Amino acid sequence: MKTIQWSVDNYVDNLSGNPQLKEAAELLRQNEVVAFPTETVYGLGANAKSDIAVAKIYEAKGRPSDNPLIVHIAEINQLEELVTNISEQAQLLIQQFWPGPLTIIFNCRPGIFSEKVTAGMDTVGIRMPDHPLALELIRLTKLPIAAPSANRSGKPSPTTARHVLDDLNGRIAGVVDGGYTGVGVESTVIDCTGDIPMILRPGGLSKEQMEMVIGEVLVDPALNSDTNDRPKSPGMKYTHYAPDAPVYLVDGTFAYIQELVSNKQKEGLKVGVIATEETKKDYRADVVIACGSRQDLKTVAHTLYDTLRAFNNQDVDIIFSETFPIEGIGLAIMNRLEKAAGHRWVRQNKVD
Ligand code: TXA
Ligand code: MG
C-alpha cells in the first residue's frame, strides 16, 4: 500500500474546505486508516463503528487485541449518543479541559462501537483532542474516530509525521503532517465510572490540575512499580517506548552518572546519556542527547519520545537516563521512562 502524506500548510488560518483534509476524511469514511496529529502525539484513526476499519488499526500497529482504543470526537454533543451515566465530575472535567489531553472512561452505550474498539469491556475511553487539524478531520468524517498512538506496538509514540512513517509507511492509507505535536506525551486517562475518579494512565493533564476542579482524584495503585497488581488500563501492562539499547534510570548525582558512564566505557561499551539542556555539555559519553530543560518539565515531555527514538540512529550499547520529580507532568514523564527502562534502576547506594 502506498501511504499518502498530506502536508497541510498554514493550517491555523484557513481549514474549512481544505482539499487534503477532505481526501483524508473520505478515506476514513471508506474504512481506511489514516494518521493525524493531536496536541499530544500522532493518532492512527479509523471509523470506530466499523469492524473492518478497526481491525486495520490492530493489524498496522501489531497491537494485542485485548488492548482497547480511545475514541476521538470533535463536538461535545457527539458524547450523549456514545456513552451513558455521565457523572457530575466528568461533566466538570469536560467543561474545564476539553478539548485537551484528557481521556475519560465512561459506560459505553451498547451496540454503537465495533467490539474491537472496547476489546470486550463495557466501558469506553473518549477524548476531544485540542488540535485544529484533528478537530476538522473528525468533523469532516461525521464519525467517532478510534485512534491509538500511531506507532508500531511497543515503540515510543510518534510526535512527528516522520516518526509515523518510520513505523507505518506502506501499512496505512495516509498521514496528515502537522509538524511536531505540542504536549509530547499521551493524554491522561481517568476513569469516571466509580464514586471517586481514578487516573489509569498519567499523561498530559496533571492530577493537580484536575483536583483543583473536582477535588479528590485517585491513582491506580497498580501503576506503582512495587506492586504486582494488574493495571486497570490494559495498555499499562505492556512494555513500551524502549530504544534498542537497554536504558537504566539513575537515581544519583551528575558525578555518579558520569562515573557509571566511564566504567562502562572502560569495559569497551559505547554509552549514551539522556541528559537535560543544563547538563548535556558536561557529560563525557559517546552520545549525549538533551531531553528538554530541568527547569521546565513541559519541555521534557515535548522532546521525550523524539529523544528515545533518536538513540536508535546512534551506535550505543547502553543508555543511562537522568530522572525527574514526579509532580505535575513529571508523573507521566517518569511513567514512560520507567517503561522504556523496563523498570531498571541504578541507585547511588543500591542496584536493583
Ligand atoms: O494522547 C492520546 O491519548 C493518544 C492520542 C492519539 O489521542 N492516544 C493514545 O491511545 O495514547 P493508545 O491506544 O495508545 O492508548 C490508550 C490507552 C491504553 O493504555 C488503553 O489500555 C487505555 O487507554 N484504555 C482504552 N480504553 C480503556 C477502557 N475502557 N478502560 C481502561 N483503559 C482503557
Ligand atoms: Mg500507545
Side-chain angles (χ1 to χ4, degrees):
M1 176 188 300
K2 182 161 166 23
T3 300
I4 306 169
Q5 186 175 3
W6 300 277
S7 297
V8 185
D9 296 329
N10 302 323
Y11 61 78
V12 179
D13 295 336
N14 183 19
L15 274 181
S16 66
N18 180 288
Q20 293 154 308
L21 285 186
K22 276 190 173 165
E23 189 183 350
E26 192 45 44
L27 284 168
L28 284 167
R29 287 196 61 82
Q30 289 165 12
N31 295 333
E32 293 298 337
V33 291
V34 166
F36 60 89
T38 78
E39 82 282 30
T40 57
V41 300
Y42 276 72
L44 183 59
N47 174 3
K49 296 182 168 182
S50 159
D51 278 345
I52 293 171
V54 175
K56 289 179 185 170
I57 290 182
Y58 285 92
E59 197 184 315
K61 281 183 62 94
R63 181 177 175 112
S65 60
D66 67 343
N67 192 5
L69 307 178
I70 295 173
V71 174
H72 295 62
I73 59 175
E75 320 269 358
I76 292 187
N77 63 18
Q78 276 180 280
L79 190 63
E80 280 283 334
E81 66 196 54
L82 307 178
V83 306
T84 62
N85 309 329
I86 303 174
S87 70
E88 203 178 315
Q89 293 115 320
Q91 282 174 28
L92 287 169
L93 290 172
I94 289 167
Q95 259 170 29
Q96 193 69 29
F97 298 116
W98 276 9
L102 180 67
T103 296
I104 303 179
I105 306 291
F106 299 96
N107 293 116
C108 192
R109 215 175 260 287
I112 301 271
F113 298 114
S114 158
E115 281 182 12
K116 294 187 164 66
V117 168
T118 54
M121 300 173 79
D122 51 16
T123 54
V124 64
I126 311 267
R127 97 174 187 97
M128 186 188 296
D130 188 13
H131 193 295
L133 289 178
L135 290 171
E136 184 62 17
L137 179 65
I138 298 165
R139 242 178 241 128
L140 286 170
T141 64
K142 301 191 175 70
L143 290 167
I145 297 293
S149 49
N151 49 284
R152 285 283 287 173
S153 211
K155 289 278 175 75
S157 298
T159 52
T160 67
R162 179 75 258 154
H163 295 162
V164 175
L165 290 170
D166 285 347
D167 281 13
L168 300 176
N169 198 7
R171 306 179 72 93
I172 61 175
V175 54
V176 176
D177 185 348
Y180 268 92
T181 61
V183 178
V185 292
E186 300 87 339
S187 62
T188 301
V189 176
I190 191 164
D191 182 353
C192 283
T193 61
D195 287 340
I196 305 175
M198 182 186 280
I199 293 176
L200 306 187
R201 176 179 74 177
L205 187 71
S206 72
K207 177 172 186 274
E208 294 87 339
Q209 283 170 292
M210 289 190 283
E211 279 177 334
M212 295 222 280
V213 178
I214 55 168
E216 188 180 14
V217 170
L218 305 173
V219 179
D220 181 359
L223 296 186
N224 189 329
S225 57
D226 301 340
T227 69
N228 290 321
D229 297 353
R230 201 166 226 276
K232 293 184 176 54
S233 176
M236 298 306 283
K237 68 177 182 281
Y238 296 106
T239 321
H240 251 109
Y241 312 119
D244 297 338
V247 178
Y248 289 81
L249 302 178
V250 187
D251 177 12
T253 59
F254 166 81
Y256 180 69
I257 300 177
Q258 181 61 55
E259 191 186 317
L260 291 172
V261 172
S262 304
N263 287 343
K264 287 294 169 194
Q265 285 179 322
K266 277 183 209 142
E267 290 173 23
L269 298 182
K270 293 242 188 314
V271 188
V273 176
I274 299 176
T276 52
E277 289 302 331
E278 289 82 4
T279 55
K280 70 173 179 196
K281 286 200 196 62
D282 297 327
Y283 284 109
R284 279 162 291 112
D286 296 280
V287 180
V288 181
I289 304 182
C291 175
S293 162
R294 185 165 282 284
Q295 302 307 316
D296 181 0
L297 291 185
K298 280 193 174 160
T299 65
V300 177
H302 177 75
T303 45
L304 183 64
Y305 293 150
D306 197 30
T307 303
L308 291 172
R309 281 179 180 259
F311 276 102
N312 287 347
N313 302 321
Q314 303 285 341
D315 181 18
V316 290
D317 303 306
I318 182 168
I319 301 165
F320 292 110
S321 176
E322 293 188 13
T323 55
F324 300 92
I326 50 172
E327 301 151 12
I329 203 163
L331 187 65
I333 293 168
M334 285 310 296
N335 171 269
R336 307 308 192 269
L337 273 174
E338 284 240 21
K339 282 170 164 276
H343 302 288
R344 280 181 296 246
W345 280 85
V346 186
R347 301 185 203 271
Q348 202 149 2
N349 298 316
K350 175 173 149 251
V351 179
D352 62 10

XYZ file of all heavy atoms in Angstrom, residues 115-185:
514
model
N -16.904 -3.978 18.428
C -16.425 -4.584 19.683
C -14.906 -4.560 19.779
O -14.338 -4.674 20.862
C -16.934 -6.018 19.805
C -18.371 -6.019 20.275
C -18.924 -7.416 20.467
O -18.129 -8.380 20.460
O -20.152 -7.517 20.623
N -14.266 -4.399 18.643
C -12.791 -4.342 18.649
C -12.289 -3.058 19.299
O -11.154 -2.989 19.755
C -12.260 -4.441 17.221
C -12.520 -5.780 16.573
C -11.824 -5.874 15.234
C -11.725 -7.299 14.732
N -13.040 -7.893 14.426
N -13.126 -2.014 19.333
C -12.726 -0.756 19.976
C -12.612 -0.957 21.475
O -11.653 -0.512 22.113
C -13.736 0.376 19.675
C -13.489 1.583 20.571
C -13.656 0.779 18.214
N -13.608 -1.610 22.063
C -13.657 -1.734 23.521
C -12.963 -3.006 24.014
O -12.839 -3.193 25.220
C -15.125 -1.762 23.995
O -15.804 -2.793 23.271
C -15.813 -0.432 23.741
N -12.529 -3.840 23.110
C -11.872 -5.109 23.460
C -12.721 -5.887 24.467
O -12.196 -6.456 25.434
C -10.455 -4.859 24.000
N -14.031 -5.841 24.265
C -14.935 -6.635 25.096
C -15.292 -5.993 26.428
O -16.062 -6.559 27.207
N -14.758 -4.794 26.747
C -15.100 -4.146 28.021
C -16.445 -3.410 27.851
O -16.852 -3.103 26.735
C -14.000 -3.151 28.427
C -12.649 -3.826 28.607
S -11.290 -2.670 28.888
C -11.517 -2.277 30.603
N -17.131 -3.121 28.981
C -18.389 -2.367 28.822
C -18.184 -0.869 29.063
O -19.124 -0.108 29.214
C -19.509 -2.940 29.703
C -19.063 -3.105 31.137
O -18.022 -2.504 31.492
O -19.750 -3.821 31.900
N -16.910 -0.474 29.083
C -16.585 0.956 29.185
C -15.833 1.379 27.921
O -15.345 0.536 27.168
C -15.674 1.215 30.396
O -14.532 0.362 30.290
C -16.411 0.942 31.707
N -15.762 2.706 27.730
C -15.018 3.214 26.569
C -14.345 4.538 26.950
O -14.903 5.319 27.722
C -15.947 3.381 25.340
C -17.033 4.429 25.593
C -15.160 3.748 24.095
N -13.145 4.745 26.424
C -12.422 5.997 26.656
C -12.693 6.972 25.521
O -12.557 6.605 24.359
N -13.093 8.205 25.901
C -13.410 9.215 24.869
C -12.558 10.453 25.119
O -12.354 10.847 26.273
C -14.891 9.650 24.936
C -15.834 8.450 25.003
C -15.229 10.597 23.785
C -16.373 7.957 23.709
N -12.108 11.078 24.026
C -11.441 12.369 24.222
C -11.671 13.294 23.040
O -11.937 12.839 21.920
C -9.956 12.169 24.540
C -8.970 12.292 23.399
C -7.563 12.193 23.990
N -6.507 12.457 23.013
C -5.915 13.638 22.861
N -6.282 14.674 23.575
N -4.956 13.788 21.953
N -11.587 14.599 23.312
C -11.673 15.595 22.256
C -10.309 16.271 22.162
O -9.906 17.017 23.060
C -12.743 16.646 22.589
C -12.939 17.610 21.437
S -14.017 18.994 21.874
C -15.522 18.147 22.165
N -9.550 15.975 21.090
C -8.180 16.489 21.011
C -8.155 17.993 20.737
O -9.032 18.512 20.038
C -7.587 15.708 19.838
C -8.752 15.287 19.013
C -9.924 15.138 19.939
N -7.153 18.672 21.264
C -7.038 20.115 21.088
C -6.053 20.429 19.959
O -4.952 20.923 20.194
C -6.568 20.747 22.408
C -6.617 22.262 22.341
O -7.236 22.803 21.408
O -6.020 22.896 23.230
N -6.448 20.056 18.747
C -5.588 20.327 17.592
C -6.501 20.645 16.410
O -7.392 19.848 16.095
C -4.723 19.101 17.292
C -3.601 19.385 16.343
N -3.801 19.758 15.029
C -2.257 19.384 16.525
C -2.636 19.954 14.444
N -1.681 19.734 15.340
N -6.282 21.787 15.754
C -7.215 22.189 14.689
C -7.327 21.168 13.558
O -8.426 20.951 13.022
C -6.642 23.521 14.171
C -5.298 23.671 14.787
C -5.230 22.791 15.993
N -6.211 20.506 13.205
C -6.278 19.523 12.109
C -7.096 18.307 12.525
O -7.919 17.793 11.753
C -4.879 19.067 11.696
C -4.027 20.097 10.958
C -2.650 19.517 10.669
C -4.705 20.508 9.665
N -6.875 17.840 13.758
C -7.617 16.667 14.240
C -9.105 16.996 14.299
O -9.948 16.212 13.833
C -7.103 16.252 15.616
N -9.434 18.149 14.861
C -10.853 18.502 15.027
C -11.541 18.621 13.672
O -12.648 18.105 13.472
C -10.988 19.801 15.829
C -10.619 19.682 17.314
C -10.582 21.058 17.968
C -11.598 18.763 18.049
N -10.894 19.287 12.724
C -11.533 19.470 11.408
C -11.665 18.130 10.677
O -12.696 17.847 10.064
C -10.718 20.474 10.576
C -11.332 20.822 9.225
C -12.707 21.502 9.312
O -13.071 22.004 10.398
O -13.420 21.506 8.288
N -10.629 17.297 10.785
C -10.689 15.982 10.136
C -11.847 15.154 10.699
O -12.633 14.571 9.937
C -9.357 15.254 10.339
C -9.256 13.853 9.752
C -9.337 13.908 8.219
C -7.950 13.163 10.176
N -11.968 15.121 12.023
C -13.037 14.319 12.635
C -14.404 14.889 12.243
O -15.323 14.144 11.889
C -12.883 14.284 14.179
C -11.563 13.614 14.568
C -14.061 13.541 14.830
C -11.149 13.836 16.017
N -14.508 16.223 12.260
C -15.772 16.863 11.857
C -16.177 16.440 10.438
O -17.326 16.108 10.178
C -15.586 18.386 11.867
C -16.475 19.091 12.836
C -16.204 20.590 12.837
N -15.760 21.000 14.147
C -14.670 21.702 14.411
N -13.865 22.102 13.434
N -14.376 22.009 15.640
N -15.195 16.457 9.534
C -15.497 16.120 8.131
C -15.981 14.680 7.985
O -16.789 14.373 7.111
C -14.258 16.336 7.254
C -13.882 17.793 6.954
C -12.505 17.858 6.286
C -14.931 18.449 6.055
N -15.482 13.774 8.838
C -15.896 12.369 8.707
C -17.312 12.155 9.232
O -17.948 11.173 8.882
C -14.981 11.403 9.498
O -15.100 11.701 10.893
C -13.534 11.497 9.058
N -17.766 13.039 10.140
C -19.065 12.869 10.817
C -19.143 11.530 11.559
O -20.210 10.936 11.695
C -20.230 12.974 9.819
C -20.288 14.291 9.074
C -21.605 14.404 8.318
C -21.792 15.728 7.637
N -20.886 15.922 6.475
N -17.996 11.047 12.048
C -17.941 9.749 12.734
C -17.162 9.892 14.035
O -16.303 10.774 14.146
C -17.183 8.727 11.860
C -17.850 8.251 10.585
C -16.828 7.516 9.726
C -19.038 7.342 10.906
N -17.405 9.002 15.010
C -16.445 8.878 16.101
C -15.212 8.146 15.553
O -15.351 7.155 14.818
C -17.191 8.015 17.131
C -18.257 7.293 16.370
C -18.551 8.063 15.113
N -14.031 8.645 15.887
C -12.804 8.083 15.304
C -11.962 7.409 16.394
O -11.482 8.059 17.318
C -11.970 9.194 14.605
C -12.754 9.798 13.422
C -10.623 8.664 14.138
C -12.998 8.843 12.256
N -11.812 6.096 16.265
C -10.923 5.359 17.179
C -9.492 5.666 16.782
O -9.166 5.635 15.592
C -11.176 3.858 17.062
N -8.649 6.005 17.760
C -7.265 6.328 17.400
C -6.297 6.057 18.555
O -6.238 6.820 19.504
C -7.133 7.784 16.956
N -5.543 4.970 18.442
C -4.411 4.785 19.349
C -3.243 5.617 18.818
O -3.334 6.199 17.735
C -4.103 3.300 19.209
C -4.467 2.993 17.793
C -5.627 3.883 17.450
N -2.167 5.671 19.571
C -0.978 6.346 19.071
C -0.495 5.632 17.800
O -0.607 4.407 17.681
C 0.105 6.352 20.140
O 0.272 5.045 20.673
N 0.061 6.418 16.841
C 0.343 5.893 15.500
C 1.750 5.314 15.390
O 2.498 5.612 14.452
C 0.130 6.993 14.463
N 2.119 4.483 16.367
C 3.420 3.802 16.359
C 3.186 2.307 16.212
O 2.099 1.815 16.483
C 4.151 4.067 17.684
C 3.239 3.805 18.881
O 2.364 4.613 19.181
N 3.426 2.663 19.526
N 4.240 1.574 15.801
C 4.180 0.115 15.931
C 4.121 -0.200 17.422
O 4.754 0.478 18.235
C 5.436 -0.529 15.325
C 5.453 -0.534 13.822
C 4.552 -1.600 13.193
N 5.070 -2.944 13.325
C 4.388 -4.037 12.970
N 3.134 -3.955 12.498
N 4.930 -5.226 13.096
N 3.363 -1.199 17.792
C 3.185 -1.536 19.199
C 4.550 -1.729 19.871
O 5.427 -2.381 19.316
C 2.371 -2.831 19.267
O 1.600 -2.849 20.413
N 4.720 -1.122 21.052
C 5.982 -1.253 21.782
C 6.951 -0.108 21.559
O 7.829 0.137 22.374
N 6.810 0.616 20.436
C 7.700 1.746 20.136
C 7.209 3.012 20.839
O 6.032 3.113 21.183
C 7.700 2.006 18.619
C 8.411 0.951 17.805
C 9.908 1.216 17.831
C 10.714 0.146 17.143
N 10.664 0.187 15.715
N 8.081 4.025 20.981
C 7.603 5.300 21.527
C 6.527 5.891 20.614
O 6.581 5.725 19.396
C 8.851 6.189 21.512
C 10.008 5.251 21.434
C 9.520 4.049 20.674
N 5.572 6.592 21.217
C 4.526 7.223 20.408
C 5.153 8.283 19.500
O 6.144 8.904 19.868
C 3.484 7.870 21.314
O 2.865 6.888 22.100
N 4.549 8.496 18.311
C 5.143 9.443 17.354
C 4.767 10.892 17.650
O 3.613 11.196 17.903
C 4.527 9.014 16.018
C 3.311 8.247 16.352
C 3.389 7.789 17.768
N 5.752 11.768 17.610
C 5.474 13.195 17.796
C 5.726 13.992 16.518
O 5.593 15.213 16.515
C 6.299 13.763 18.969
O 7.676 13.426 18.767
C 5.851 13.163 20.305
N 6.090 13.300 15.434
C 6.178 13.938 14.108
C 5.638 12.937 13.074
O 5.565 11.726 13.334
C 7.637 14.261 13.692
O 8.327 13.014 13.483
C 8.367 15.065 14.749
N 5.313 13.469 11.878
C 4.853 12.589 10.798
C 5.987 11.655 10.367
O 5.752 10.519 9.941
C 4.366 13.419 9.617
N 7.231 12.119 10.503
C 8.393 11.284 10.162
C 8.408 10.004 11.023
O 8.624 8.907 10.530
C 9.667 12.120 10.409
C 10.988 11.486 10.156
C 11.284 11.369 8.675
N 11.046 9.990 8.250
C 10.725 9.608 7.034
N 10.581 10.491 6.059
N 10.543 8.347 6.745
N 8.141 10.188 12.343
C 8.089 9.009 13.230
C 7.006 8.029 12.763
O 7.206 6.812 12.783
C 7.740 9.416 14.669
C 8.759 10.279 15.365
N 8.449 11.015 16.479
C 10.070 10.502 15.108
C 9.531 11.668 16.897
N 10.525 11.383 16.073
N 5.845 8.583 12.362
C 4.734 7.725 11.902
C 5.202 6.908 10.704
O 5.014 5.684 10.650
C 3.496 8.564 11.519
C 2.403 7.671 10.937
C 2.964 9.351 12.713
N 5.850 7.591 9.747
C 6.267 6.898 8.526
C 7.388 5.903 8.824
O 7.448 4.826 8.213
C 6.691 7.912 7.464
C 5.521 8.733 6.902
C 6.028 9.888 6.036
C 4.569 7.836 6.092
N 8.271 6.235 9.751
C 9.332 5.283 10.120
C 8.719 3.952 10.558
O 9.259 2.884 10.282
C 10.186 5.836 11.274
C 11.152 6.931 10.805
O 11.330 7.075 9.578
O 11.700 7.638 11.666
N 7.588 4.021 11.263
C 6.962 2.794 11.781
C 5.952 2.177 10.820
O 5.810 0.956 10.774
C 6.210 3.100 13.091
C 7.134 3.191 14.302
O 8.362 3.271 14.110
O 6.612 3.194 15.435
N 5.198 3.009 10.086
C 3.978 2.504 9.432
C 3.901 2.752 7.930
O 2.878 2.469 7.310
C 2.737 3.117 10.109
C 2.566 2.817 11.606
C 1.370 3.566 12.175
C 2.387 1.315 11.845
N 4.980 3.270 7.323
C 4.941 3.532 5.880
C 4.603 2.245 5.124
O 5.182 1.198 5.389
C 6.308 4.073 5.419
C 6.213 4.758 4.067
O 5.105 4.947 3.545
N 7.339 5.109 3.496
N 3.619 2.336 4.231
C 3.208 1.164 3.457
C 2.158 0.325 4.166
O 1.586 -0.587 3.583
N 1.898 0.617 5.436
C 0.917 -0.170 6.200
C -0.388 0.585 6.414
O -1.361 0.014 6.903
C 1.485 -0.544 7.571
C 2.830 -1.246 7.530
C 3.313 -1.561 8.939
N 2.533 -2.627 9.528
C 2.841 -3.911 9.482
N 3.960 -4.294 8.878
N 2.071 -4.810 10.032
N -0.405 1.907 6.098
C -1.601 2.731 6.340
C -1.888 3.571 5.102
O -1.004 3.784 4.261
C -1.420 3.652 7.569
C -0.248 4.629 7.374
C -1.184 2.816 8.829
C -0.078 5.645 8.504
N -3.144 4.062 5.004
C -3.526 4.786 3.787
C -2.860 6.153 3.710
O -2.535 6.629 2.612
C -5.049 4.927 3.733
N -2.674 6.822 4.851
C -2.079 8.151 4.770
C -1.748 8.732 6.120
O -2.130 8.191 7.159
N -1.000 9.862 6.079
C -0.712 10.610 7.307
C -0.869 12.099 7.008
O -0.362 12.595 5.999
C 0.690 10.282 7.878
C 1.811 10.464 6.855
C 0.992 11.125 9.123
N -1.613 12.779 7.883
C -1.742 14.226 7.801
C -0.571 14.811 8.586
O -0.430 14.552 9.780
C -3.072 14.703 8.433
C -3.152 16.232 8.418
C -4.264 14.081 7.719
N 0.294 15.564 7.887
C 1.501 16.090 8.529
C 1.226 17.484 9.073
O 1.030 18.424 8.317
C 2.635 16.117 7.496
C 3.958 16.533 8.110
O 3.962 17.020 9.261
O 4.992 16.359 7.429
N 1.213 17.609 10.389
C 1.008 18.921 11.011
C 2.220 19.344 11.816
O 2.099 20.130 12.754
N 3.390 18.814 11.487
C 4.607 19.170 12.225
C 4.658 18.501 13.590
O 3.962 17.513 13.837
N 5.483 19.034 14.459
C 5.632 18.493 15.815
C 4.342 18.619 16.608
O 3.648 19.624 16.505
C 6.713 19.274 16.578
C 8.088 18.671 16.472
C 8.966 19.065 15.472
C 8.506 17.709 17.384
C 10.235 18.517 15.371
C 9.770 17.154 17.294
C 10.627 17.556 16.289
O 11.871 17.012 16.199
N 4.038 17.620 17.439
C 2.919 17.775 18.375
C 3.416 18.585 19.580
O 4.619 18.659 19.829
C 2.407 16.414 18.860
O 3.463 15.730 19.536
C 1.922 15.579 17.694
N 2.495 19.180 20.320
C 2.888 20.100 21.388
C 3.250 19.422 22.694
O 4.382 19.500 23.171
N 2.286 18.691 23.279
C 2.480 18.147 24.630
C 3.579 17.083 24.642
O 4.455 17.077 25.509
C 1.153 17.553 25.167
C 1.359 16.945 26.552
C 0.068 18.621 25.209
N 3.521 16.152 23.698
C 4.592 15.170 23.556
C 4.379 13.841 24.248
O 4.937 12.840 23.843
N 3.602 13.797 25.335
C 3.187 12.510 25.911
C 1.672 12.388 25.739
O 0.985 13.383 25.521
C 3.558 12.353 27.417
C 5.057 12.267 27.589
C 2.970 13.471 28.254
